[in-house]
Amino acid sequence: MITLKLNGKDHQLDVTEDMPLLWAIRDVAGYNGTKFGCGMGLCGACTIHIDGAPARSCITPIGSVKGQDISTIDALHADPVGQIVQKAWLDTAVAQCGFCQGGQIMSATALLKTNPNPSDEQIEEAMVGNICRCGTYNRIKTAIRQASTHLKEVKA
């Protein structure tokens, strides 16, 4: 048994330590917002937060995250920065097919939590590895800028 602190709750999971975190989250814990994309950590569809930092869950063994806080897109609505990012995504109509958007939103939220006023270069650097087959990169950057502006207004 492995205890996983997932979305603020402890989950006892009967899995091996080498099981990819993605499958423990989806198939065992039952949170299906995190998506399988490539299985090699290259596309970003499976992005989660481990202690607040973005990580690819498809290549992260569950045994390597013992004692760490794991957050998925399923619980982002309870996070104040996550709420702002999700609203910006909707306001700018980022998603087309939407498959990659959970990972995109998780990466954007992690960026804005550590840097609420990123430059375009910092946005691009933070989003590297999050692939959108629909090509909504300009809308993603616009949504991140909008969320950043909103964060500044909320803090003022």
Side-chain angles (χ1 to χ4, degrees), residues 113-135:
K113 282 183 161 201
T114 59
N115 181 359
N117 191 27
S119 67
D120 283 348
E121 294 78 25
Q122 290 167 323
I123 292 171
E124 290 169 9
E125 183 179 317
M127 300 306 289
V128 162
N130 285 89
I131 297 171
C132 175
R133 289 187 175 180
C134 299

mmCIF file of all heavy atoms in Angstrom, residues 113-135:
data_model
loop_
_atom_site.group_PDB
_atom_site.id
_atom_site.type_symbol
_atom_site.label_atom_id
_atom_site.label_comp_id
_atom_site.label_asym_id
_atom_site.label_seq_id
_atom_site.Cartn_x
_atom_site.Cartn_y
_atom_site.Cartn_z
ATOM 1 N N LYS A 113 1.838 31.092 -10.142
ATOM 2 C CA LYS A 113 2.024 31.008 -8.691
ATOM 3 C C LYS A 113 3.446 31.419 -8.298
ATOM 4 O O LYS A 113 3.648 31.971 -7.224
ATOM 5 C CB LYS A 113 1.725 29.603 -8.192
ATOM 6 C CG LYS A 113 0.258 29.321 -8.093
ATOM 7 C CD LYS A 113 0.031 27.937 -7.512
ATOM 8 C CE LYS A 113 -1.376 27.863 -6.990
ATOM 9 N NZ LYS A 113 -1.539 26.812 -6.021
ATOM 10 N N THR A 114 4.407 31.133 -9.148
ATOM 11 C CA THR A 114 5.795 31.493 -8.842
ATOM 12 C C THR A 114 6.187 32.832 -9.440
ATOM 13 O O THR A 114 7.098 33.485 -8.953
ATOM 14 C CB THR A 114 6.777 30.413 -9.339
ATOM 15 O OG1 THR A 114 6.632 30.258 -10.756
ATOM 16 C CG2 THR A 114 6.533 29.088 -8.640
ATOM 17 N N ASN A 115 5.506 33.224 -10.502
ATOM 18 C CA ASN A 115 5.817 34.481 -11.185
ATOM 19 C C ASN A 115 4.504 35.085 -11.700
ATOM 20 O O ASN A 115 4.104 34.823 -12.827
ATOM 21 C CB ASN A 115 6.785 34.225 -12.349
ATOM 22 C CG ASN A 115 7.166 35.490 -13.080
ATOM 23 O OD1 ASN A 115 6.711 36.582 -12.754
ATOM 24 N ND2 ASN A 115 8.000 35.350 -14.091
ATOM 25 N N PRO A 116 3.834 35.896 -10.889
ATOM 26 C CA PRO A 116 2.529 36.427 -11.291
ATOM 27 C C PRO A 116 2.580 37.461 -12.418
ATOM 28 O O PRO A 116 1.540 37.849 -12.932
ATOM 29 C CB PRO A 116 1.968 37.036 -10.012
ATOM 30 C CG PRO A 116 3.112 37.195 -9.097
ATOM 31 C CD PRO A 116 4.179 36.238 -9.521
ATOM 32 N N ASN A 117 3.774 37.889 -12.801
ATOM 33 C CA ASN A 117 3.916 38.882 -13.874
ATOM 34 C C ASN A 117 4.997 38.443 -14.858
ATOM 35 O O ASN A 117 6.012 39.116 -15.018
ATOM 36 C CB ASN A 117 4.242 40.251 -13.271
ATOM 37 C CG ASN A 117 4.148 41.354 -14.295
ATOM 38 O OD1 ASN A 117 3.416 41.245 -15.267
ATOM 39 N ND2 ASN A 117 4.912 42.411 -14.081
ATOM 40 N N PRO A 118 4.784 37.318 -15.553
ATOM 41 C CA PRO A 118 5.822 36.809 -16.445
ATOM 42 C C PRO A 118 5.913 37.594 -17.760
ATOM 43 O O PRO A 118 4.918 38.111 -18.259
ATOM 44 C CB PRO A 118 5.380 35.374 -16.708
ATOM 45 C CG PRO A 118 3.882 35.436 -16.630
ATOM 46 C CD PRO A 118 3.598 36.456 -15.553
ATOM 47 N N SER A 119 7.111 37.647 -18.294
ATOM 48 C CA SER A 119 7.321 38.211 -19.631
ATOM 49 C C SER A 119 6.882 37.170 -20.659
ATOM 50 O O SER A 119 6.661 36.000 -20.324
ATOM 51 C CB SER A 119 8.802 38.532 -19.829
ATOM 52 O OG SER A 119 9.563 37.328 -19.847
ATOM 53 N N ASP A 120 6.785 37.586 -21.910
ATOM 54 C CA ASP A 120 6.437 36.633 -22.966
ATOM 55 C C ASP A 120 7.451 35.501 -23.031
ATOM 56 O O ASP A 120 7.087 34.340 -23.232
ATOM 57 C CB ASP A 120 6.345 37.337 -24.322
ATOM 58 C CG ASP A 120 5.057 38.122 -24.480
ATOM 59 O OD1 ASP A 120 4.129 37.950 -23.657
ATOM 60 O OD2 ASP A 120 4.977 38.912 -25.440
ATOM 61 N N GLU A 121 8.724 35.831 -22.855
ATOM 62 C CA GLU A 121 9.770 34.810 -22.896
ATOM 63 C C GLU A 121 9.604 33.822 -21.751
ATOM 64 O O GLU A 121 9.782 32.614 -21.923
ATOM 65 C CB GLU A 121 11.164 35.452 -22.843
ATOM 66 C CG GLU A 121 11.519 36.282 -24.061
ATOM 67 C CD GLU A 121 10.865 37.675 -24.075
ATOM 68 O OE1 GLU A 121 10.518 38.218 -22.996
ATOM 69 O OE2 GLU A 121 10.681 38.215 -25.181
ATOM 70 N N GLN A 122 9.257 34.320 -20.572
ATOM 71 C CA GLN A 122 9.053 33.437 -19.420
ATOM 72 C C GLN A 122 7.822 32.552 -19.616
ATOM 73 O O GLN A 122 7.824 31.390 -19.209
ATOM 74 C CB GLN A 122 8.931 34.265 -18.134
ATOM 75 C CG GLN A 122 10.245 34.911 -17.734
ATOM 76 C CD GLN A 122 10.076 35.966 -16.652
ATOM 77 O OE1 GLN A 122 9.094 36.716 -16.639
ATOM 78 N NE2 GLN A 122 11.044 36.026 -15.743
ATOM 79 N N ILE A 123 6.787 33.098 -20.241
ATOM 80 C CA ILE A 123 5.603 32.287 -20.553
ATOM 81 C C ILE A 123 5.993 31.171 -21.507
ATOM 82 O O ILE A 123 5.668 29.997 -21.282
ATOM 83 C CB ILE A 123 4.468 33.152 -21.150
ATOM 84 C CG1 ILE A 123 3.909 34.102 -20.099
ATOM 85 C CG2 ILE A 123 3.359 32.262 -21.725
ATOM 86 C CD1 ILE A 123 2.939 35.145 -20.641
ATOM 87 N N GLU A 124 6.694 31.525 -22.560
ATOM 88 C CA GLU A 124 7.098 30.520 -23.541
ATOM 89 C C GLU A 124 7.966 29.444 -22.909
ATOM 90 O O GLU A 124 7.794 28.251 -23.178
ATOM 91 C CB GLU A 124 7.818 31.191 -24.709
ATOM 92 C CG GLU A 124 6.878 32.016 -25.566
ATOM 93 C CD GLU A 124 7.590 32.910 -26.575
ATOM 94 O OE1 GLU A 124 8.820 32.769 -26.745
ATOM 95 O OE2 GLU A 124 6.899 33.749 -27.168
ATOM 96 N N GLU A 125 8.902 29.848 -22.052
ATOM 97 C CA GLU A 125 9.777 28.891 -21.387
ATOM 98 C C GLU A 125 8.986 27.955 -20.477
ATOM 99 O O GLU A 125 9.215 26.742 -20.461
ATOM 100 C CB GLU A 125 10.830 29.631 -20.567
ATOM 101 C CG GLU A 125 11.836 28.720 -19.905
ATOM 102 C CD GLU A 125 12.882 29.500 -19.133
ATOM 103 O OE1 GLU A 125 13.365 30.522 -19.642
ATOM 104 O OE2 GLU A 125 13.200 29.070 -18.007
ATOM 105 N N ALA A 126 8.028 28.494 -19.726
ATOM 106 C CA ALA A 126 7.228 27.679 -18.810
ATOM 107 C C ALA A 126 6.321 26.706 -19.557
ATOM 108 O O ALA A 126 5.997 25.639 -19.034
ATOM 109 C CB ALA A 126 6.396 28.578 -17.900
ATOM 110 N N MET A 127 5.920 27.071 -20.756
ATOM 111 C CA MET A 127 4.971 26.247 -21.500
ATOM 112 C C MET A 127 5.639 25.288 -22.492
ATOM 113 O O MET A 127 4.944 24.503 -23.145
ATOM 114 C CB MET A 127 3.969 27.160 -22.233
ATOM 115 C CG MET A 127 3.162 28.071 -21.303
ATOM 116 S SD MET A 127 2.285 27.226 -19.970
ATOM 117 C CE MET A 127 0.998 26.415 -20.907
ATOM 118 N N VAL A 128 6.958 25.334 -22.572
ATOM 119 C CA VAL A 128 7.676 24.417 -23.463
ATOM 120 C C VAL A 128 7.329 22.989 -23.080
ATOM 121 O O VAL A 128 7.294 22.638 -21.902
ATOM 122 C CB VAL A 128 9.209 24.646 -23.370
ATOM 123 C CG1 VAL A 128 9.987 23.465 -23.914
ATOM 124 C CG2 VAL A 128 9.595 25.897 -24.103
ATOM 125 N N GLY A 129 7.057 22.182 -24.061
ATOM 126 C CA GLY A 129 6.732 20.790 -23.793
ATOM 127 C C GLY A 129 5.245 20.527 -23.632
ATOM 128 O O GLY A 129 4.836 19.386 -23.524
ATOM 129 N N ASN A 130 4.444 21.581 -23.610
ATOM 130 C CA ASN A 130 2.989 21.417 -23.627
ATOM 131 C C ASN A 130 2.555 21.593 -25.070
ATOM 132 O O ASN A 130 2.527 22.709 -25.589
ATOM 133 C CB ASN A 130 2.297 22.449 -22.739
ATOM 134 C CG ASN A 130 2.436 22.136 -21.277
ATOM 135 O OD1 ASN A 130 3.395 22.559 -20.645
ATOM 136 N ND2 ASN A 130 1.509 21.380 -20.743
ATOM 137 N N ILE A 131 2.226 20.494 -25.695
ATOM 138 C CA ILE A 131 1.897 20.507 -27.119
ATOM 139 C C ILE A 131 0.388 20.604 -27.316
ATOM 140 O O ILE A 131 -0.383 19.920 -26.652
ATOM 141 C CB ILE A 131 2.442 19.238 -27.804
ATOM 142 C CG1 ILE A 131 3.971 19.236 -27.706
ATOM 143 C CG2 ILE A 131 1.983 19.145 -29.252
ATOM 144 C CD1 ILE A 131 4.619 17.947 -28.146
ATOM 145 N N CYS A 132 0.008 21.477 -28.249
ATOM 146 C CA CYS A 132 -1.402 21.628 -28.629
ATOM 147 C C CYS A 132 -1.501 21.324 -30.123
ATOM 148 O O CYS A 132 -1.018 22.103 -30.947
ATOM 149 C CB CYS A 132 -1.884 23.050 -28.340
ATOM 150 S SG CYS A 132 -3.569 23.348 -28.913
ATOM 151 N N ARG A 133 -2.103 20.216 -30.448
ATOM 152 C CA ARG A 133 -2.221 19.843 -31.861
ATOM 153 C C ARG A 133 -3.132 20.788 -32.633
ATOM 154 O O ARG A 133 -3.048 20.884 -33.842
ATOM 155 C CB ARG A 133 -2.720 18.409 -31.986
ATOM 156 C CG ARG A 133 -1.673 17.420 -31.563
ATOM 157 C CD ARG A 133 -2.104 16.014 -31.834
ATOM 158 N NE ARG A 133 -1.007 15.112 -31.513
ATOM 159 C CZ ARG A 133 -1.078 13.819 -31.653
ATOM 160 N NH1 ARG A 133 -2.172 13.256 -32.115
ATOM 161 N NH2 ARG A 133 -0.046 13.069 -31.340
ATOM 162 N N CYS A 134 -3.998 21.501 -31.926
ATOM 163 C CA CYS A 134 -4.880 22.472 -32.583
ATOM 164 C C CYS A 134 -4.163 23.795 -32.841
ATOM 165 O O CYS A 134 -4.691 24.644 -33.551
ATOM 166 C CB CYS A 134 -6.133 22.707 -31.749
ATOM 167 S SG CYS A 134 -7.136 21.230 -31.504
ATOM 168 N N GLY A 135 -3.001 23.986 -32.224
ATOM 169 C CA GLY A 135 -2.213 25.191 -32.469
ATOM 170 C C GLY A 135 -2.746 26.433 -31.785
ATOM 171 O O GLY A 135 -2.627 27.537 -32.327
#
